[in-house]
């Protein structure tokens, strides 16, 4: 079978990625040279060693296949739990604060970033990734695991330094509050450290999400949350204390109008 016929036969079956072992069965001894030729012609990329994603003809000129078209199969290939999270997940919920050229993926164990042309996949390690609340989202080639809007919010707080600080978290959250539910926030909160929930509750209160705030306050009281800082990395000395959230307000979150 010729290389181009091989990838077209996969496309006809709705398959848009494959492994070198699969290719070996069809292309035989010429597998490596055939795959190298297809990559050179802009019909394949290899985001992982031994893993290939087929570039649809409409993307063959730019060579930039959307990363959500192969991330699920790539993580299955790695045998690693995952979900798309942080600013990338927020973009699915209407936020405009993330470049489409960067895909942020929560997984365990940790992995190095993957660069393919101008596209980049960045991995963030999270121990309880399997328990985190997530949903399935359809893509043109299958589906992806996506954090729920509430888990996205708490993840942004937990990784606040990696996404641009608490002010950016506030800005992104302000674009998603219409999607939050009180029950969803409480359910997701149980998978996060209490300090993350305390900071999240404080931000939600500033955003005016009263119903969710009330339930989170009861939760941190029941769990006997200890006093913590709003910003763990801030060096501000003159601080106020927020009693309901048991937070030392050692940072100012400036709101862009």
């Amino acid at each position: 079978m010729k290389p181009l016929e091989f990838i077209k036969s996969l496309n006809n079956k709705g398959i848009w990625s494959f492994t070198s072992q699969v290719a070996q069965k069809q292309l035989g001894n010429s597998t490596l040279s055939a795959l190298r030729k297809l990559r050179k012609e802009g019909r394949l990329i290899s985001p992982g060693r031994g893993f290939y994603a087929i570039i649809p003809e409409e993307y063959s000129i730019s060579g930039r296949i959307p990363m959500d078209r192969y991330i699920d199969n790539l993580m299955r290939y790695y045998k690693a739990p995952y979900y798309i999270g942080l600013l990338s997940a927020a973009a699915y919920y209407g936020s405009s604060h993330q470049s489409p050229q960067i895909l942020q993926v929560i997984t365990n164990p940790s992995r190095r970033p993957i660069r393919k042309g101008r596209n980049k996949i960045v991995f963030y390690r999270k121990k309880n990734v399997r328990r985190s609340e997530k949903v399935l989202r359809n893509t043109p080639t299958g589906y992806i695991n996506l954090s729920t809007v509430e888990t996205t919010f708490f993840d942004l707080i937990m990784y606040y330094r990696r996404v641009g600080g608490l002010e950016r978290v506030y800005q992104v959250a302000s674009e998603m509050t219409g999607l939050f539910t009180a029950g969803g926030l409480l359910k997701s909160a149980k998978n996060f450290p209490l300090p993350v929930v305390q900071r999240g509750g404080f931000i939600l209160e500033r955003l005016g999400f009263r119903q969710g705030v009330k339930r989170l306050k009861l939760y941190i009281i029941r769990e006997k949350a200890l006093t913590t800082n709003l910003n763990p990395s801030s060096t501000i000395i003159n601080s106020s204390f927020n009693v309901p959230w048991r937070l030392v307000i050692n940072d100012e979150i400036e709101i862009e109008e």
Side-chain angles (χ1 to χ4, degrees):
M1 181 180 290
K2 294 181 179 180
L4 197 55
E5 291 177 348
F6 166 63
I7 62 172
K8 284 185 176 180
S9 69
L10 293 177
N11 290 166
N12 291 337
K13 299 175 184 177
I15 299 172
W16 290 88
S17 60
F18 61 91
T19 65
S20 55
Q21 289 88 346
V22 171
Q24 178 73 37
K25 293 178 181 179
Q26 297 296 327
L27 301 175
N29 295 331
S30 62
T31 299
L32 290 178
S33 61
L35 296 179
R36 194 178 300 117
K37 181 181 178 181
L38 289 170
R39 291 174 66 180
K40 188 175 181 180
E41 292 175 350
R43 298 307 309 275
L44 287 182
I45 60 169
S46 180
R49 187 173 182 178
F51 179 91
Y52 299 87
I54 301 170
I55 300 176
E57 290 188 25
E58 62 266 31
Y59 293 100
S60 60
I61 295 178
S62 65
R64 290 177 54 203
I65 177 175
M67 294 170 282
D68 61 4
R69 294 200 176 193
Y70 61 81
I71 188 64
D72 187 74
N73 283 339
L74 178 63
M75 299 310 289
R76 287 175 180 271
Y77 176 67
Y78 285 146
K79 297 180 180 179
Y82 87 97
Y83 60 83
I84 292 176
L86 300 172
L87 296 174
S88 293
Y92 281 90
Y93 295 117
S95 171
S96 58
H97 290 264
Q98 174 70 344
S99 167
Q101 297 175 358
I102 299 175
L103 186 69
Q104 295 176 315
V105 176
I106 310 293
T107 187
N108 185 26
S110 58
R111 291 192 174 275
R112 293 181 179 179
I114 296 173
R115 287 185 179 272
K116 286 298 164 184
R118 287 181 290 176
N119 288 346
K120 183 179 182 181
I121 302 175
V122 183
F123 297 99
Y124 298 81
R125 185 172 182 268
K126 187 177 182 181
K127 290 183 178 180
N128 66 341
V129 62
R130 293 185 187 275
R131 296 200 308 272
S132 297
E133 298 296 319
K134 60 186 80 71
V135 294
L136 291 180
R137 178 66 66 94
N138 290 329
T139 71
T141 57
Y143 65 88
I144 54 172
N145 292 329
L146 182 72
S147 57
T148 63
V149 66
E150 295 89 1
T151 293
T152 300
F153 171 64
F154 286 121
D155 272 339
L156 287 167
I157 294 170
M158 189 161 71
Y159 296 97
Y160 74 98
R161 282 181 289 189
R162 304 283 294 275
V163 299
L166 288 175
E167 284 186 9
R168 194 176 191 191
V169 172
Y170 184 96
Q171 292 161 9
V172 173
S174 69
E175 298 175 330
M176 302 190 299
T177 49
L179 302 175
F180 292 150
T181 67
L185 285 167
L186 183 60
K187 191 174 183 180
S188 292
K190 294 176 181 179
N191 291 316
F192 287 88
L194 282 174
V196 171
V197 180
Q198 290 165 256
R199 294 173 193 125
F202 175 79
I203 290 174
L204 286 172
E205 190 165 50
R206 290 199 63 180
L207 288 170
F209 192 71
R210 295 181 180 179
Q211 186 178 7
V213 163
K214 183 178 180 180
R215 296 188 63 175
L216 290 180
K217 280 182 179 178
L218 292 174
Y219 174 69
I220 67 166
I221 291 172
R222 184 171 67 250
E223 296 299 314
K224 300 179 180 179
L226 302 177
T227 297
T228 189
N229 289 335
L230 173 62
N231 187 341
S233 58
S234 174
T235 57
I236 294 177
I237 298 176
N238 296 325
S239 308
S240 60
F241 183 66
N242 184 288
V243 176
W245 297 112
R246 301 198 60 77
L247 275 178
V248 176
I249 310 304
N250 63 337
D251 195 4
E252 293 184 5
I253 300 177
E254 297 181 5
I255 305 170
E256 293 183 2
E257 299 295 339

